[in-house]
Amino acid sequence: MPTQERIPVWVKALDPLSHFGLVYSLRQRPEIALISDAGLAALQQSQSPYKRPAPTVVALVAVDSLDAGAVQVLRAATQRGCRRMVLIGSTIDDDALMTAVELGVSGVLRRTEATADRIVHLLQAAAAGDASLPRDLLGRLLGQVSRRQRHVPAPRGLSQTGLSDRETQVLRLVADGKDTQEIARELSYSERTVKNVLHDVTSRLQLKNRSHAVAYALRQGLI
């Protein structure tokens, strides 16, 4: 049987002990291939239209609180070429949560729930393009979106383009916390169709991920 391709993961923690613990735990997992700072820089330099595309690296960022300093770390991760991000934190500030989603964070886990299995599950979901937020954080995110709805400019193209009925249905179910398989089953679509719908929405509206798409659609009152 073919072996499953390992997920490249770059770990960044704001304290040495957390960094050591995460690296130690993930080094034992066959699903994960840890990428060093030097390795991440080498991947960036190797990207070229004439070469094989670099693999998608997932950044795993651990912070005490999701504050302005943590947001800077997330921005640095995107600048270093990490297209997907998972965040582990103790305190999650609502404003920073919105910013984190807009920066590309697709998975959030509290430190008290951060077992090795859960971390790997979130990394796998992020690598596959899926979003995973705790239900209470998703509710807070959507509440934050509603409060900011009239004060945030529309993203480029959304107010003109809008969403199709099928896209609206899919995003509503994403907002309910359902995964790809559950959405496909409820709407009688294939999982590939659901993924294609979400990919079309995020690409057309220049959004980071599923959570970002839901946030923008809610801001505009489209779902």
Side-chain angles (χ1 to χ4, degrees), residues 4 7 31-32 58 117 119-130:
Q4 185 178 12
I7 301 168
E31 310 97 322
I32 304 300
V58 181
D117 285 342
I119 293 171
V120 170
H121 175 74
L122 283 188
L123 292 171
Q124 290 173 323
D130 291 336

Side-chain angles (χ1 to χ4, degrees), residues 31-157:
E31 310 97 322
I32 304 300
L34 291 175
I35 302 293
S36 65
D37 289 351
L40 190 60
L43 283 176
Q44 271 196 296
Q45 293 173 1
S46 69
Q47 293 185 30
S48 164
Y50 305 104
K51 298 179 181 178
R52 184 178 177 181
T56 298
V57 178
V58 181
L60 176 61
V61 178
V63 297
D64 285 329
S65 61
L66 184 47
D67 54 16
V71 168
Q72 290 301 317
V73 173
L74 296 175
R75 288 200 174 101
T78 61
Q79 291 167 0
R80 300 186 72 168
C82 297
R83 295 164 51 195
R84 310 276 167 77
M85 289 185 284
V86 169
L87 183 71
I88 300 175
S90 300
T91 305
I92 311 294
D93 173 80
D94 286 358
D95 287 332
L97 177 62
M98 174 69 75
T99 302
V101 168
E102 291 175 342
L103 285 172
V105 169
S106 58
V108 177
L109 190 62
R110 290 187 174 87
R111 279 182 181 270
T112 54
E113 301 169 346
T115 65
D117 285 342
R118 287 184 176 179
I119 293 171
V120 170
H121 175 74
L122 283 188
L123 292 171
Q124 290 173 323
D130 291 336
S132 181
L133 297 177
R135 288 188 179 274
D136 66 308
L137 290 186
L138 179 60
R140 285 167 53 186
L141 174 65
L142 300 185
Q144 178 74 358
V145 168
S146 297
R147 289 191 294 272
R148 293 171 56 180
Q149 183 172 357
R150 296 183 178 226
H151 305 286
V152 178
R156 182 168 41 182

